[in-house]
Amino acid sequence: MRVKMQAGPLGALKIALRRAKSRCPVSDILFIPPDTTVDIEVAAGEFETLTCFFPRDILEKAGWDGSAQAHGVQLDSPLIKADFRRLLEMLLDPALEQGGFVEAATKLILLEVMREIANRQQNVELRPGGLTAWRHGRIRRRLASDGEPVPSVAELAELCGITPRHLTRAYRIDTGECIGDVIRRVMVERAKRKLVAQSPIKCIAADLGFSSTASFSVAFAREVGMRPTQFRGTLSVTPH
């Protein structure tokens, strides 16, 4: 059986309450963005729905960014279902309904729904075969952490929960770059800043995660075309 559900100018949460012996049965939960009509298929049989309407500005304050605008979002989170079950119990209890508990419970549900939608968006690959948004976020944050040694491909892969080979392939699909090249570029940029700041080369090598000054010098020279001491020497040359 197909049913059209429309939110109008308000976002809507529709909760299907299947006819059952349970006092507060919660079956399916559907988030319908503002000004959206959703055509869904439901199983035959009797059911009722409870609908919570939220103005667009309230949705935006709660974190909705319009990402689900084109379609409804089916929610199957046990946490959200439990929250709705408590809300239904409150609606059936006049004392709780009049005590402001219903409004508080509804706001809590809205925040959980927005969090669930955001989590789903984070788990969408930017390109087929590429990395998810949260993995890119972890990589960016780790590469930007100046207080730690420059990470290896293996470390970044472990942060993302994938193999180094998978990371290398997926990162290239998304950015057109080799993750190893990005790591080396970060190393060089950090090293140059420290050399300009006159940090001892031995300390720079240790800070960047190199086992020795020699290995750092070789890696730096491979990328820049001169050793760290030579690069530092160019900084003291004043053009005439």
Side-chain angles (χ1 to χ4, degrees):
M1 180 173 65
R2 301 197 68 81
V3 179
K4 285 190 180 293
M5 293 185 175
Q6 187 169 7
L10 305 178
L13 280 173
K14 287 189 176 288
I15 306 92
L17 311 176
R18 292 289 176 185
R19 298 282 192 182
K21 293 180 181 180
S22 171
R23 184 165 179 260
C24 296
V26 174
S27 179
D28 301 315
I29 303 173
L30 179 66
F31 172 70
I32 307 176
D35 302 313
T36 303
T37 299
V38 179
D39 189 11
I40 63 172
E41 187 166 344
V42 298
E46 293 186 46
F47 67 92
E48 299 172 338
T49 61
L50 170 66
T51 304
C52 300
F53 292 101
F54 300 97
R56 182 186 293 270
D57 61 330
I58 298 296
L59 290 172
E60 291 173 349
K61 287 180 181 178
W64 178 66
D65 61 1
S67 57
Q69 181 69 40
H71 50 78
V73 179
Q74 192 82 26
L75 300 170
D76 54 6
S77 163
L79 179 60
I80 296 175
K81 287 188 176 182
D83 288 340
F84 268 117
R85 194 170 292 110
R86 284 192 291 271
L87 175 61
L88 288 169
E89 291 171 351
M90 291 178 186
L91 292 173
L92 294 172
D93 189 330
L96 293 175
E97 186 177 3
Q98 295 174 8
F101 294 102
V102 170
E103 182 179 358
T106 304
K107 289 180 179 179
L108 178 61
I109 288 171
L110 176 60
L111 290 174
E112 292 293 346
V113 168
M114 293 300 104
R115 186 178 292 116
E116 174 73 9
I117 291 174
N119 288 340
R120 292 190 183 193
Q121 288 298 116
Q122 286 288 304
N123 283 308
V124 174
E125 292 180 352
L126 301 183
R127 290 180 176 82
L131 297 171
T132 55
W134 70 266
R135 287 190 169 109
H136 274 291
R138 284 193 176 183
I139 291 170
R140 284 195 301 270
R141 287 191 294 273
R142 180 60 185 86
L143 290 173
S145 55
D146 279 346
E148 299 181 63
V150 176
S152 63
V153 174
E155 180 187 343
L156 293 179
E158 185 176 356
L159 276 176
C160 294
I162 54 180
T163 65
R165 182 178 180 183
H166 182 178
L167 171 61
T168 301
R169 183 178 65 251
Y171 193 87
R172 186 183 292 276
I173 288 173
D174 283 340
T175 67
E177 289 189 287
C178 173
I179 186 64
D181 291 342
V182 174
I183 291 172
R184 286 188 288 273
R185 187 165 65 243
V186 169
M187 179 274 292
V188 169
E189 290 171 355
R190 287 194 200 174
K192 285 181 176 179
R193 289 200 302 270
K194 292 176 182 291
L195 288 167
V196 170
Q198 298 300 312
S199 297
I201 293 178
K202 183 177 181 180
C203 294
I204 297 175
D207 290 345
L208 295 178
F210 287 91
S211 58
S212 67
T213 301
S215 60
F216 163 61
S217 296
V218 170
F220 187 88
R222 187 185 302 120
E223 299 301 319
V224 181
M226 63 180 76
R227 292 183 176 274
T229 51
Q230 295 172 311
F231 176 81
R232 177 170 280 171
T234 64
L235 301 176
S236 60
V237 176
T238 303
H240 296 284

